[in-house]
Amino acid sequence: MRTWLLRGLCAMFMAGVVSLADAAPERYRLYTPPDPDSTGGITGMITKPGKPILEILAMPPDHPELVYEGKVVGSNRQGFLFEKLPMAKYDLFVIYENEFYEGLELSFVPDTLTDKDRKSIETIVKASDPFFNKKIIHRVEGTTGRGNFARCVVTQYRDGPGTVTADYEAMKGVSRRTFKLIWLKDVGVGWQVVQKRDLYPVTAAMNLMTPTHHFSKVLSKIRVTDQVKDLGEISLVNNQ
């Protein structure tokens, strides 16, 4: 009876990873609640790439720990809507099945990181979060020198089941992945991670562990006042 039940649960689990969008319940506490007293927002329609959006997020660059989840709308899932956003500038993060686009402002001043800084940052990022044994740093910006800061956008994933499961065979080809925004500080002897923010943790097929990253400037510094800002039709392609 126990074996039958465990295999049934694994079958349900596998059914849930067919579509990444179906994994939303595991993230319901991850994002910042809308502000009931705010009337601002952002809406738009992404025409390029012309495929369904899985998730879209908004972050004020001066408070990147605040991550607001937008609604994906339209029969083709190419439209989006954020409501009840506090007045601020926002950067957007758009996730598709096998790629993602972001316009995050990682540094408020010109990037001055040296090759030595970047090597130190890569070393400490790869040593953090040992469950995720693979890390890809897509972008990093900051200021060189002791006491200064940097931020980076990272994909982290595990290239196999993270634990011994009830039915190991059913878990083959499936693993965990997340996108993270990571803050670092130069403490004199090198860079150290001071804060991390999960953006989109999922359980997914192994062929989706390393989606293609794109930076798109049209997703940066979108000012929200007391109304919903309509961005109209948006092309993310060739807008770096």
Side-chain angles (χ1 to χ4, degrees), residues 33-219:
D35 180 2
D37 298 322
S38 295
T39 56
I42 308 170
T43 188
M45 173 72 69
I46 299 176
T47 57
K48 294 182 180 180
K51 52 187 177 181
I53 299 169
L54 291 184
E55 181 71 281
I56 185 165
L57 308 171
M59 288 166 273
D62 51 344
H63 288 287
E65 73 279 3
L66 303 178
V67 181
Y68 296 90
E69 182 180 28
K71 298 176 183 177
V72 180
V73 299
S75 58
N76 57 6
R77 292 184 60 86
Q78 290 180 238
F80 64 89
L81 172 65
F82 293 90
E83 295 179 294
K84 298 189 179 299
L85 290 179
M87 287 190 287
K89 288 183 180 179
Y90 290 87
D91 298 331
L92 302 186
F93 198 104
V94 188
I95 301 165
Y96 296 93
E97 184 178 53
N98 59 357
E99 61 183 332
F100 67 100
Y101 292 76
E102 51 91 2
L104 304 187
E105 185 177 7
L106 300 179
S107 177
F108 298 123
V109 296
D111 175 53
T112 59
L113 296 177
T114 65
D115 290 342
K116 182 179 178 182
D117 290 325
R118 293 175 185 277
K119 183 63 177 177
S120 177
I121 288 170
E122 181 181 14
T123 298
I124 193 63
V125 167
K126 288 189 174 181
S128 65
D129 291 327
F131 173 81
F132 295 102
N133 61 331
K134 299 294 177 66
K135 284 98 173 178
I136 302 170
I137 299 176
H138 300 289
R139 284 202 306 127
V140 57
E141 293 182 3
T143 306
T144 191
R146 183 170 183 171
N148 287 320
F149 293 86
R151 289 188 219 166
C152 58
V153 180
V154 182
T155 293
Q156 300 186 167
Y157 68 98
R158 186 173 183 89
D159 59 355
T163 59
V164 176
T165 64
D167 191 337
Y168 187 87
E169 290 298 319
M171 291 291 292
K172 282 186 176 180
V174 176
S175 196
R176 292 288 293 173
R177 187 201 74 203
T178 187
F179 304 130
K180 283 194 177 181
L181 181 60
I182 298 179
W183 294 251
L184 304 106
K185 182 178 182 179
D186 186 339
V187 296
V189 295
W191 289 84
Q192 288 190 359
V193 173
V194 294
Q195 191 173 350
K196 295 174 287 188
R197 185 61 159 92
D198 266 302
L199 300 178
Y200 190 71
V202 292
T203 300
M206 288 300 300
N207 65 337
L208 299 175
M209 289 296 105
T210 57
T212 303
H213 164 265
H214 308 271
F215 173 77
S216 183
K217 63 184 179 181
V218 300
L219 299 175

